[in-house]
Amino acid sequence: DALVKMFNFNVAGSKTGNDEEDFKVLVLDRHTRDIISPLLKVNDLRKHGITLHLMIEAERQAIADVPAVYFLRGSSEIVRRVVADAGAKLYGTFHLNFSSPLPRPLLEECAAEAVKQDCLASFASVFDQYLNFITLETKMFSLAQPHAYVHLNDPSAKDTDIEEAVGNIVGGLFSVLVTLGCVPYIRCPRGGAAEMVAQ
């Protein structure tokens, strides 16, 4: 439901029909492609008006009259690419959606670059989607952090590495909880990484 809402410019309810306004371009990165691919196939995307889906890393041609829904992981490099797309007027309007909350400095960097390139009016919306996890099936998900166990249990790991791993786990679990709309009871053993995640 969260993805469908995002495809409809974060308006509740899904639009159906063959109006020209329903044509949209979806721009993804590798991380967000992995989030969407187990849930929706190309035909499912088309049902929601996504006629073209492209990777942000790829060279893309301008489609000036069509709105673009960007679904990306927030980083400085990604923000620069999005603003470059807006500056080049690749699409009619830009609806930015980040898989996890975009830190304030990156949001400010995005705004400053958009003002510099005189393309601020191209941005119709910016949303944090809290979708920083991969749904494998009903009631089963992955945080897509294959080395988390090693980082948390390596005796030679630095405190900063452990804190980063814990932060990534917390962010992913928080995304799951926001998407489910629930507040959990948390129980964990004292000491170690489990307590750090629980706190």
Side-chain angles (χ1 to χ4, degrees):
D1 289 344
L3 290 173
V4 171
K5 185 176 177 183
M6 179 181 73
F7 297 152
N8 290 306
F9 310 124
N10 293 288
V11 176
S14 63
K15 291 193 281 186
T16 56
N18 295 324
D19 298 336
E20 286 184 25
E21 295 176 345
D22 284 347
F23 295 132
K24 303 173 203 95
V25 174
L26 177 63
V27 181
L28 306 163
D29 60 21
R30 287 187 176 103
H31 175 71
T32 55
R33 179 195 58 199
D34 292 344
I35 292 171
I36 288 179
S37 61
L39 299 171
L40 300 167
K41 304 301 176 217
V42 173
N43 286 339
D44 298 323
L45 292 174
R46 289 202 176 116
K47 286 178 190 174
H48 299 292
I50 304 295
T51 55
L52 187 61
H53 60 282
L54 304 165
M55 300 299 289
I56 194 158
E57 299 91 3
E59 287 294 319
R60 289 166 279 123
Q61 294 181 346
I63 310 172
D65 298 339
V66 176
V69 176
Y70 280 69
F71 182 40
L72 307 164
R73 174 182 259 181
S75 72
S76 190
E77 178 188 342
I78 292 286
V79 165
R80 282 194 296 275
R81 287 198 84 134
V82 169
V83 174
D85 288 356
K89 301 193 183 335
L90 287 186
Y91 310 110
T93 56
F94 292 74
H95 300 267
L96 304 184
N97 298 275
F98 293 97
S99 61
S100 57
L102 189 67
R104 186 168 183 87
L106 280 181
L107 187 59
E108 290 173 356
E109 177 184 336
C110 181
E113 286 296 317
V115 168
K116 277 185 199 173
Q117 295 197 29
D118 195 29
C119 60
L120 192 59
S122 299
F123 294 99
S125 61
V126 179
F127 284 93
D128 294 328
Q129 292 296 338
Y130 294 96
L131 294 172
N132 201 19
F133 60 95
I134 298 171
T135 302
L136 303 171
E137 60 185 53
T138 303
K139 297 185 180 183
M140 184 176 180
F141 66 91
S142 168
L143 298 180
Q145 298 175 19
H147 303 292
Y149 183 82
V150 173
H151 290 304
L152 295 175
N153 293 292
D154 183 2
S156 64
K158 298 176 186 170
D159 286 345
T160 55
D161 295 338
I162 292 172
E163 288 172 7
E164 181 180 350
V166 167
N168 290 337
I169 292 168
V170 168
L173 290 175
F174 185 72
S175 291
V176 170
L177 297 173
V178 167
T179 301
L180 292 174
C182 66
V183 178
Y185 291 103
I186 299 175
R187 294 184 60 176
C188 68
R190 292 193 183 274
E195 184 178 20
M196 291 172 67
V197 168
Q199 289 177 346

